[in-house]
Each structure stands twice: as structure tokens, then as C-alpha cells.
Amino acid sequence: FSIFAKKLSDEKNQSQIWFPRHISELDQCSKCITKYEPTTDPRHPGHGDVAYIARRKFLNDQALEFKFGDEIGYVDYTEEEHATWKAVYEKLGDLHLSHTCAVYRQNLKILQEEKVLTADRIPQIRDVNKFLQKKTGFELRPCSGLLSARDFLASLAFRVFQTTTYLRHHKSPHHSPEPDLIHELLGHVPMFSDPLLAQMSQDIGLMSLGASDEHIEKLSTVYWFIVEFGLCKEDGKLKAIGAGLLSAYGELMHACSDAPEHKDFDPAVTAVQKYEDDDYQPLYFVADSIHDALAKLRKYASSMDRPFSVVYDPFTKSIEAIESS
Ligand code: TIH
Ligand code: FE2
């Protein structure tokens, strides 16, 4: 940004909605919302399983203690959890060639060659972060469940991805109604290893800082339909780019089949589309490519009026708000 850009005055800063200005302030962005809790929601596969509920709570409580600068602790996963991981890992392998985008396949291959992801053992977040750091600078940060859209998106502005640490219930390994570690690792990690997908995610995050509730709703809907459930076309075939599909065998097949509706990805349209969050989506958006989705998103961003714009400084991992001219 130019030296002529005007920083926001103190007065304007104060009338704004608070948002983190430095990566360390993400410590204030871990508010969880309750949805699909196994304690109360019969739609959760772990509903009524006392041991599962206790384990999930233990891991969530541990994640909640994490603060900026802490070393991420190793988690001692149980043999049952390793077995769930392995079952999902191997079953998804059957669909890789036919249903996943080239970026996913390439990055998964590297992750496997470097033994960051292996069928037998659940990877540790700390080791995955070493890989992501060298690919795109993204990092996973433990969180204790579903976050508010505002907090979740704010983290993306800093290339931080809030990651659950518990696993889905062993009874239902091929679809989880909520994000879990398997979804984060098999769905998101290979995609966050891609520079364009990483940039697109960070862009959505930057657009969310200080945004109105209405804009947050729109941005989280765009995020949902592209980063979680997006498709692209390769050689005339539908392929998944979205992490929610890449980690769920049944929905991955459904999304790429003729059963659901498919529409071209257009951020302005996508932003106001209603979505399903307790079953397969009836509608998916299809981008020409990740590059195309990023270009469209940037055009959309410039149409969103904001009294200020934000600049990210990757050296200090901080944000500067600049008055819009
Ligand atoms: N349904 C996904 C899975 O089974 O892996 C998890 C989710 C992603 C986004 C919302 S729920
Ligand atoms: Fe996700």
C-alpha cells in the first residue's frame, strides 16, 4: 500500500466493529456455537454414547486452552480412533481418481510421499503445520467445535485455520454432520496446500473483518459453497474442490452425480443461496477452476462497499485498516 494511504482516524476505529489486528488476537476469536451436540442432538451419531461424549469433551477442553505462541501438544489417539481414520482414508481412496480435482490429487500424493498423511496413524497437527508452512503459510490452530462465522472467517484473514481435534463417531465413519479432525485433515489440508485456494480463503477472511452481520452471512455462505462444497469441471467431468465433499464418501458421489442441481459459481448469486447443513446439499456450485473462482471472488469483493479496506502484512502478521477513497 502506498505511503499516501490514510490510516483510519481513532474516532473511526472506535465506531467500527472490533476485529483482530494481529494474529495473537485470534485468542479472542474462539467463541463456539452449539449445533449438533452429541449431548442433546439425536441427529449426532454419538448421541447417547457416554464414552464418546466424554472423549470429545476432553479434546475440546484441551483445544480451548490453546493460546497464540503455544506449541501444539501431541494428542494420544486411541486405537479405535486410528481405526476410524484408517477406514475413512482407505474408502475415500476409491474415489480419488474419479471424483477429486487435480489440485487435491497432487497435494495428497505429496502429503503421502512425505508421510504426513498415512493410513495407519492419525497425523499430529504440529507435523501437518510444518508441511503447510512450507506450501502456503497456512497453519491449523486447535479449536473446540463450531465457531461463530465471524470468528472463523477472521482467522482465515491471517491464514489460520481453526481445526477441531476430536473424531467423528466410529459408527458413522463416512459422513459426519459436523466438522471433525478427519474432515480437517483429509478435506482441508490438501486444499490449503494450494496457493490459489489458500489465497481465496484468506481473501474471504479479509473481506469479513469489521463487516456487518449481513455481509458476514453472505461471506460465510460463499465460503460454504466454494471452500466446503465447491465443484469444478475437469475434462468435462465434475470434480470436488470442497473439503466437506472430499472427506465424505457418500456426499462426494452424490455431488458429482446427476442427482443434485448444479449452478455456475457466481459469488453474488452464491452469497444469497440457502444451504443445507444437516443432509447432503440439493444444489452445488461449479467453478471453471480454482483460479476462476478466485478471480470472480475478487471482482465481487470490489463491489462490496466498506468505509475502509484492509491490508495484510505477512511479515508482522498484522492488519492495517485504510480509509476508502
Ligand atoms: N460432512 C463432512 C464429513 O462427513 O466429512 C463434515 C462437514 C463439513 C462441513 C460441515 S460438516
Ligand atoms: Fe470444513
Side-chain angles (χ1 to χ4, degrees):
F1 77 102
S2 93
I3 52 166
F4 302 115
K6 237 168 110 189
K7 288 192 184 181
L8 283 193
S9 64
D10 284 350
E11 196 189 322
K12 282 209 173 130
N13 258 331
Q14 274 153 23
S15 65
Q16 255 174 220
I17 297 171
W18 181 88
F19 62 84
R21 303 299 178 109
H22 182 258
I23 189 169
S24 60
E25 293 175 44
L26 292 178
D27 285 352
Q28 280 122 264
C29 295
S30 42
K31 283 180 289 300
C32 282
I33 53 169
T34 44
K35 212 174 184 182
Y36 300 122
E37 285 291 312
T39 40
T40 51
D41 194 334
R43 289 173 301 176
H44 194 294
H47 182 66
D49 181 338
V50 180
Y52 177 80
I53 290 170
R55 174 66 171 161
R56 187 176 175 282
K57 181 170 179 341
F58 170 80
L59 292 170
N60 278 344
D61 287 349
Q62 195 164 300
L64 203 56
E65 276 171 28
F66 180 85
K67 290 284 170 282
F68 173 77
D70 288 353
E71 192 170 12
I72 299 178
Y74 273 30
V75 177
D76 202 4
Y77 285 106
T78 65
E79 285 312 313
E80 187 178 64
E81 287 167 332
H82 286 302
T84 303
W85 160 264
K86 186 172 185 173
V88 182
Y89 187 102
E90 288 183 338
K91 188 149 170 97
L92 281 170
D94 296 346
L95 297 181
H96 279 166
L97 269 182
S98 50
H99 288 70
T100 73
C101 69
V103 159
Y104 184 78
R105 296 198 307 272
Q106 281 153 11
N107 285 320
L108 190 74
K109 190 163 167 253
I110 304 172
L111 281 155
Q112 289 169 333
E113 281 166 1
E114 297 195 11
K115 304 218 176 342
V116 183
L117 298 186
T118 63
D120 289 333
R121 258 23 219 165
I122 299 168
Q124 296 287 335
I125 289 180
R126 211 198 287 175
D127 299 330
V128 173
N129 275 350
K130 282 189 203 136
F131 180 85
L132 281 176
Q133 276 298 309
K134 87 186 167 195
K135 295 298 261 186
T136 58
F138 246 92
E139 65 187 279
L140 309 178
R141 175 190 163 123
C143 75
S144 60
L146 222 46
L147 296 184
S148 75
R150 188 178 288 281
D151 285 356
F152 180 79
L153 295 176
S155 311
L156 294 178
F158 298 86
R159 296 203 176 206
V160 169
F161 186 66
Q162 303 259 8
T163 301
T164 54
T165 58
Y166 57 82
L167 267 76
R168 59 193 59 191
H169 196 270
H170 57 88
K171 228 177 49 194
S172 174
H174 304 301
H175 186 266
S176 164
E178 59 174 359
D180 75 324
L181 183 64
I182 299 185
H183 161 69
E184 322 289 22
L185 295 175
L186 286 182
H188 286 292
V189 166
M191 295 309 292
F192 283 138
S193 306
D194 177 60
L196 292 179
L197 195 288
Q199 189 59 56
M200 182 161 79
S201 307
Q202 183 178 24
D203 278 6
I204 298 176
L206 290 167
M207 280 185 253
S208 80
L209 299 176
S212 64
D213 288 347
E214 187 197 332
H215 275 164
I216 292 287
E217 177 64 27
K218 288 185 172 176
L219 290 167
S220 57
T221 305
V222 171
Y223 172 86
W224 180 270
F225 276 115
I226 196 77
V227 180
E228 293 290 352
F229 293 97
L231 295 171
C232 70
K233 258 201 170 140
E234 282 172 9
D235 302 326
K237 291 202 196 85
L238 292 170
K239 304 276 177 155
I241 59 177
L245 300 174
L246 293 163
S247 62
Y249 186 88
E251 187 162 4
L252 179 53
M253 285 213 291
H254 164 80
C256 298
S257 76
D258 291 337
E261 196 184 337
H262 296 104
K263 278 192 191 171
D264 287 342
F265 175 65
D266 172 353
V269 175
T270 305
V272 293
Q273 178 68 46
K274 253 188 64 60
Y275 60 80
E276 186 61 63
D277 66 358
D278 85 21
D279 201 352
Y280 295 173
Q281 308 294 316
L283 163 72
Y284 297 91
F285 285 95
V286 184
D288 288 344
S289 61
I290 297 172
H291 186 271
D292 165 66
L294 175 61
K296 290 200 166 120
L297 191 77
R298 291 198 150 181
K299 209 160 164 202
Y300 175 67
S302 63
S303 76
M304 271 180 128
D305 57 347
R306 258 214 295 205
F308 61 93
S309 58
V310 295
V311 180
Y312 179 69
D313 177 353
F315 303 103
T316 56
K317 301 189 175 178
S318 58
I319 304 269
E320 193 75 71
I322 306 292
E323 203 159 330
S324 295
S325 49

